[in-house]
Amino acid sequence: MLKLVISQTSNKPIYEQIKDQIKKQIIEGSLKAGEALPSIRVLAKELNVSVITTKRAYDELEKEGFIVTVPSRGTFVAEIDREKISNIGTKEIEEDLQKVVRKAKLLRIELKKLIDMIEKLYKGDEG
């Protein structure tokens, strides 16, 4: 069952919020391959957003291979292999780490200290 929470105050565009939340639910397995998604119009009405917004989210998800649209039948979660999901996650982590590294360099934080910070966070010791 698709669950979406849209924030009107977020800096992230609404179509991106929709796309990211659907993608997350597919990756986590709460949306299963073959599961039907609401039509673009129904989703737009449920979320009180424009049909153009939901169409853009669905178009991007389809381009990325997360959903498939079957004419006259609807939109469904695509079959995705775990390796592809793992690669997508790794790529996203690398992008996040690039931002962290740029900021650390800007603040002249040494590599060793940065690695120590990451290790603490990874192990759950945030203090």
Side-chain angles (χ1 to χ4, degrees), residues 67-125:
I67 64 174
V68 289
T69 301
V70 181
S72 305
R73 295 231 7 253
T75 303
F76 303 88
V77 175
E79 283 286 344
I80 302 173
D81 63 30
R82 290 284 132 197
E83 188 177 331
K84 179 179 180 179
I85 289 173
S86 178
N87 290 341
I88 290 166
T90 301
K91 185 175 183 280
E92 288 176 359
I93 290 170
E94 283 178 4
E95 289 169 1
D96 291 344
L97 284 173
Q98 282 178 336
K99 293 176 194 167
V100 170
V101 167
R102 276 196 295 274
K103 189 177 254 182
K105 285 181 175 180
L106 186 68
L107 298 171
R108 299 179 194 261
I109 294 173
E110 291 182 22
L111 178 59
K112 169 121 180 57
K113 184 172 182 184
L114 181 61
I115 290 170
D116 288 345
M117 291 166 70
I118 292 170
E119 277 183 0
K120 274 185 180 178
L121 290 170
Y122 190 86
K123 291 176 182 172
D125 178 17

Side-chain angles (χ1 to χ4, degrees), residues 46-68:
E46 284 176 4
L47 298 176
N48 201 20
V49 298
S50 159
V51 171
I52 295 165
T53 300
T54 53
K55 179 168 177 22
R56 182 163 181 192
Y58 274 25
D59 286 349
E60 291 202 7
L61 285 164
E62 193 155 14
K63 264 188 246 162
E64 293 177 24
F66 283 94
I67 64 174
V68 289

Side-chain angles (χ1 to χ4, degrees), residues 10-55:
S10 171
N11 290 334
K12 190 184 278 192
I14 292 173
Y15 82 89
E16 213 171 291
Q17 293 180 50
I18 295 168
K19 181 186 84 164
D20 290 349
Q21 289 181 50
I22 292 173
K23 190 191 296 189
K24 182 176 188 266
Q25 290 176 47
I26 292 169
I27 290 170
E28 290 174 343
S30 54
L31 286 175
K32 308 270 185 248
E35 193 171 328
L37 294 173
S39 74
I40 290 167
R41 291 186 199 295
V42 168
L43 185 61
K45 190 173 182 185
E46 284 176 4
L47 298 176
N48 201 20
V49 298
S50 159
V51 171
I52 295 165
T53 300
T54 53
K55 179 168 177 22

